[in-house]
Amino acid sequence: MKVTVNGETREMRALWMEGEIIKFIDQRVLPERIEIFQARDYNDVAFAIKDMVVRGAPAIGVSAAYGIAQAYMQGRDLKRVADILSKTRPTAYDLFYAIRYMMDRIERGDDPIRAAEDYANDIVERSRKIGEYGNKLIKNGSRILTHCNAGALAVLDWGTALAPMRMAKREGKDIFVWVDETRPRLQGAKLTSWELKNEGIRHKIIADNAAGLLMKRGEVDLIIVGADRIALNGGFANKIGTYEKAVLAKTHGIPFYVAAPFSTIDRGIRNEDMIPIEERSQDEVLYAGKCRIAPDGVEAYNPAFDVTPPDYVEGFITEYGILRPDEIEKRFSP
Ligand code: MRU
């Protein structure tokens, strides 16, 4: 992805491996500062995923793949490391997919470092294809709404929901993006806006609860979001607040698309209600930055994701093309 530091623009990945060290753009401090978090062993990798130094389903998967390769280089017990990494975050399916991919390749006798690099490069290629297919949905002048961050920070290089927008812009289409701020962690306001700004894509951040007004006024042509886990029935989990956008979109006749690679599809889960939902610290809701915004002693509830049934989804933008929700099961059933 393009990153501009002190007026100078260069290409950077959300994470990469250098020798035995896994390096991450620290997403906790963007857009204020660009800092690199260095994971020196599997404990650091587990911390990076848990504390959201790195986040977004496919990027979490790549982190786990590199984490296992690193553990191999350091002579660790790989089964134990895989177990520790698999307990970092429960919802994003890519984490479990990547761990299984790595363990299978290692069992087959493949070099783990090669396998992790293959995994990362494969995700990049899949997201590039998602960009190509999704770009076909975007017209010159399209006003697109997105939720959370499903960009290059969450995926590598292209993104999922943001990949079609990147492609459209690079092809010369004039597009505009409404960016939901995405309370409580503000991935939209902090991360998606940062990526779009670096890419020169016109956009405005809106409070999460402003989307309904914009849809009613006819100011949204298309919605594209990412996914953390997709069930066989075409229901899916994504950042909290996605479901209400999908319901509003249907009410207002606005096409609602989900962009995600194969690694996000959980073929062992029949419907979206079976997806485990991560509950995060109350403090994410009770505080804005370091400042408490709620009265002392009051509690909050903080589910990090919600689930959307398939009836609200126009299509899934995948590396295999754009699929209707009912095509997920037909195509990917184990
Ligand atoms: O908690 P996060 O930031 O890891 O959640 C990520 C999301 O929910 C993204 O919106 C997303 O679409 C999945 S990652 C491409």
Side-chain angles (χ1 to χ4, degrees):
M1 86 190 107
K2 282 184 198 159
V3 176
T4 306
V5 193
N6 301 331
E8 192 198 309
T9 303
R10 59 190 161 111
E11 284 291 326
M12 242 177 130
R13 264 203 178 161
L15 69 141
W16 66 97
M17 202 162 172
E18 260 177 50
E20 277 185 26
I21 300 176
I22 304 163
K23 298 191 174 181
F24 299 88
I25 296 181
D26 190 337
Q27 300 190 33
R28 298 170 305 176
V29 298
L30 286 174
E32 217 178 302
R33 313 188 286 284
I34 297 173
E35 270 178 22
I36 304 301
F37 177 92
Q38 306 204 13
R40 296 182 183 277
D41 66 12
Y42 65 92
N43 284 314
D44 291 346
V45 178
F47 171 84
I49 299 172
K50 232 182 182 140
D51 212 52
M52 296 175 70
V53 170
V54 62
R55 40 141 307 279
I60 291 172
V62 174
S63 307
Y66 280 144
I68 289 171
Q70 180 192 53
Y72 168 82
M73 287 165 99
Q74 297 176 340
R76 313 279 187 182
D77 173 348
L78 295 189
K79 282 211 171 93
R80 194 169 156 264
V81 170
D83 187 52
I84 289 168
L85 293 176
S86 70
K87 290 186 176 130
T88 47
R89 293 192 73 190
T91 304
Y93 188 65
D94 302 62
L95 172 65
F96 309 100
Y97 180 87
I99 292 172
R100 190 156 354 106
Y101 171 94
M102 288 297 293
M103 298 313 270
D104 285 351
R105 292 257 327 237
I106 292 166
E107 227 162 77
R108 288 209 303 267
D110 290 349
D111 171 25
I113 301 143
R114 178 74 260 153
E117 287 302 347
D118 286 349
Y119 189 85
N121 292 332
D122 193 50
I123 283 293
V124 172
E125 182 51 18
R126 286 169 193 268
S127 60
R128 192 189 61 75
K129 285 185 181 150
I130 286 172
E132 274 178 0
Y133 287 116
N135 181 17
K136 294 185 184 144
L137 300 168
I138 300 177
K139 297 190 183 77
N140 195 34
S142 280
R143 296 156 303 173
I144 309 157
L145 183 134
T146 193
H147 191 71
C148 195
N149 172 267
L153 288 166
V155 183
L156 291 201
D157 293 11
W158 289 95
T160 50
L162 295 196
M165 304 177 207
R166 267 204 172 84
M167 287 277 179
K169 168 73 184 175
R170 291 184 189 185
E171 221 174 58
K173 290 180 194 167
D174 177 31
I175 62 166
F176 176 83
V177 185
W178 294 112
V179 178
D180 290 344
E181 61 173 349
T182 318
R183 277 281 289 157
R185 287 190 67 103
L186 302 171
Q187 289 95 328
K190 292 182 173 186
L191 307 178
T192 297
S193 178
W194 182 74
E195 284 196 37
L196 294 177
K197 184 177 174 205
N198 284 331
E199 201 71 35
I201 296 176
R202 290 192 304 119
H203 66 283
K204 276 187 184 165
I205 298 164
I206 53 170
D208 290 322
N209 37 19
L213 176 70
L214 295 173
M215 290 191 221
K216 186 163 190 307
R217 280 183 179 161
E219 295 186 43
V220 179
D221 303 307
L222 173 69
I223 299 177
I224 310 179
V225 298
D228 288 87
R229 197 185 288 224
I230 300 168
L232 275 181
N233 70 335
F236 73 101
N238 195 48
K239 182 53 56 194
I240 192 79
T242 300
Y243 174 44
E244 59 192 44
K245 305 301 176 291
V247 174
L248 279 164
K250 191 164 185 173
T251 298
H252 296 288
I254 299 164
F256 182 97
Y257 285 91
V258 181
F262 175 73
S263 52
T264 306
I265 302 173
D266 182 350
R267 304 190 301 158
I269 276 190
R270 279 193 315 281
N271 65 58
E272 69 281 359
D273 292 322
M274 296 169 78
I275 299 176
I277 301 294
E278 176 181 12
E279 199 183 310
R280 293 189 65 88
S281 162
Q282 297 184 39
D283 289 351
E284 292 183 352
V285 175
L286 297 171
Y287 287 78
K290 289 193 174 110
C291 176
R292 186 173 170 107
I293 51 174
D296 281 346
V298 171
E299 292 182 0
Y301 173 52
N302 185 19
F305 302 95
D306 61 25
V307 291
T308 301
D311 347 357
Y312 295 96
V313 181
E314 185 82 21
F316 286 90
I317 310 168
T318 74
E319 63 274 46
Y320 305 107
I322 299 178
L323 307 177
R324 286 189 320 272
D326 63 296
E327 287 177 295
I328 297 286
E329 178 151 24
K330 281 187 202 130
R331 204 165 169 139
F332 301 115
S333 195

